[in-house]
Amino acid sequence: MQEKKIKDFNSYKKEYERSVKFPEKFWEEKANNFLWKKKWDKVLSWDFTKPDVKWFIGGQLNITENCLDRHLEKRGSQIAIKWISNNTDEPNRDLSYSQLHKEVCKFSNVLKKNGAKKGDRICLYMPMVPELAIAVLACARIGAIHSVVFAGFSAKSLSDRINDANCNILITADGAFRGDKITPLKHISDEAMQNTPSIDKCIVLKSTNSDINIKSGRDVWWKDEMEKVDKNCTAETMDSEDPLFILYTSGSTGKPKGIVHSIAGYMVYTEFSFRNVFQYNEGDVYWCTADIGWITGHSYIVYGPLLSGATTIMFEGVPTYPDAGRFWKIVEENKVNIFYTAPTAIRSLEAKGMEFVTPYDLSSLKVLGTVGEPINEDAWHWYDKEIGNENCPIVDTWWQTETGGIMISNLAGVTPSKPSFATLPLPGIQACLIDENGKELEGNSVEGKLCIEFPWPSMARTIYGDHNRFRETYFSAFKNKYFTGDGALRDENGMYKITGRVDDVLIVSGHNLGTAEIESAMDEYENVCETAIVSFPHAIKGNGVYAFVICHEEAGNPDVLRKEINDLVTKIVGPIAKADKIQFVSGLPKTRSGKIMRRILRKIASGDSENLGDTSTLLDPSVVEEIKLGSL
Ligand code: PRX
């Protein structure tokens, strides 16, 4: 049923060429391997100026039949999801493909019973437990659009996202274990639901056994509801271009963008990229350590692996609990073959020392992967030597929430790797670099802004409720090109290295944060007058958050003030957005037109205040001297 994988460098080159010359034929072949209720009439129509991109037009399908039903005959008893608890004294749970299918069907009926209909938006604010994957798939089965909100976000972030998409159901849990802490998800949800008039029903899973409030008429228990429904549920017939999900990501303005992905293209691309990048073989145990609250979890914990009939591990906990050997213990105990994580995790575990690695047998590993941020050479070599025993190809996968799937990466053991380089685009991905003047850079050994000049099946279709912003953000910088927001260089062999964001988005511990989002949260503090956020190099997190803050009145104890400002950021955005350093200043370097010159602040925050470049356009250059002197 599945297509053969690309097996050597020459066939990669041939496939790549074919995918550029005959993209429609190329993707049609891949799409033919899925279960369709009706095949498409036309493979592709596109116009990047509107933008309007459609794949497999006229096709009808349900993605869950491809994730679940079609596997039942051959691998009904194979483990689909291997769940590992945060708590070492709690048993793990295995769900076979047929068990997962049954749970998804039942929960689909629960959703319908609670009023969910095709096209509704359903918000999921859940711990990393199998029920999260079940709820995601159940939404897809009934044709509702899932909007998963990472369980580390605040009540305010949750209600903003619920309101933006006008969700009518919220699925949550009493709490989420995270190392030795519990995040009180239902309390946070209750606070959020005070401001979400669209929510009719809240379905609550018991996970941590925490005390919670149940509002009668609105809140129902997951378990009670599951006992009342039938185990059969026919999958809704969906059009190829119907939306599958919304996932929020930070942008250059304060308001997060609800990135919308549609069904068929996302399905075809996540399966294709999963099998080829990781060189997945039937029977492999695969583990991606991300959270389903991020795109990596959507595409490479849930959809890609299940579409491929793989066994996917879901881990509830954190890498350092109960100690920094947790990842490697899980690898040993579950004989993990493919391991996919973030550079931040690698750096932090490296820093803990080899005594947490050597006790474990890591010989089951065949392929290692990284995602979310650039991996520095040191961390790459440590990963290669100490985890991979210099015997496992490392795939450095560059992609984005908006791209839906991996775009630039080596294919494990098939195409060459190069430390700190994402290397070559996948077949079907036409990457290019654009210079300062908007001209495409030809040839090799060049550096510019990274764009994609032809549609690929899993590209985002819009920003929920704001198509103008979608066009402005991604399609207006350069004509007929998707602009990624990243800078990159292409070396003498045509290999890509991502050099970092070129806009106002920061990548901190592999998470996307908008400077404006943090600034407006800090500005809410009563004594704060104005803030400027920049990133600075951080040994573990890749980038840290550096805040320059102007206060109305002189602060008493600056450390108390710093803590209070960060507490407010945690409350408004979430703990991931807290500043690592807060410097109080009396002014910010602004141009005469009032624009903050972040370039200067970035240099100072990076400890490079000697080479500030041209400061002559500043309204008041003396402010720079003061900031330099006070830098942390
Ligand atoms: O800057 C790039 C960085 O993460 C951004 C996308 O963030 P997000 O939408 O949250 O998705 C993260 C997981 C796919 C990109 O614009 N990024 C992602 N992967 C890499 C990377 N930077 C360098 N190397 C990577 N492998």
Side-chain angles (χ1 to χ4, degrees), residues 249 295-296 371-374 396-402 484 486 498 501 507 512:
T249 186
I295 191 68
T296 307
V371 59
E373 53 184 317
D396 177 350
T397 64
W398 172 83
W399 58 296
Q400 310 177 296
T401 306
E402 297 86 340
T484 64
D486 281 321
I498 310 301
R501 299 293 306 186
I507 308 289
N512 224 326

Side-chain angles (χ1 to χ4, degrees), residues 248-250 294-296 300 340 343 370-375 395-403 405-406 408 420-422 484-487 497-501 505-507 510-513:
Y248 286 85
T249 186
S250 298
W294 310 113
I295 191 68
T296 307
Y300 299 110
Y340 189 31
T370 75
V371 59
E373 53 184 317
I375 177 160
V395 289
D396 177 350
T397 64
W398 172 83
W399 58 296
Q400 310 177 296
T401 306
E402 297 86 340
T403 68
I406 298 169
I408 303 183
S420 85
F421 277 68
T484 64
D486 281 321
K497 178 186 171 88
I498 310 301
T499 49
R501 299 293 306 186
V505 172
L506 313 179
I507 308 289
H511 296 138
N512 224 326
L513 297 171

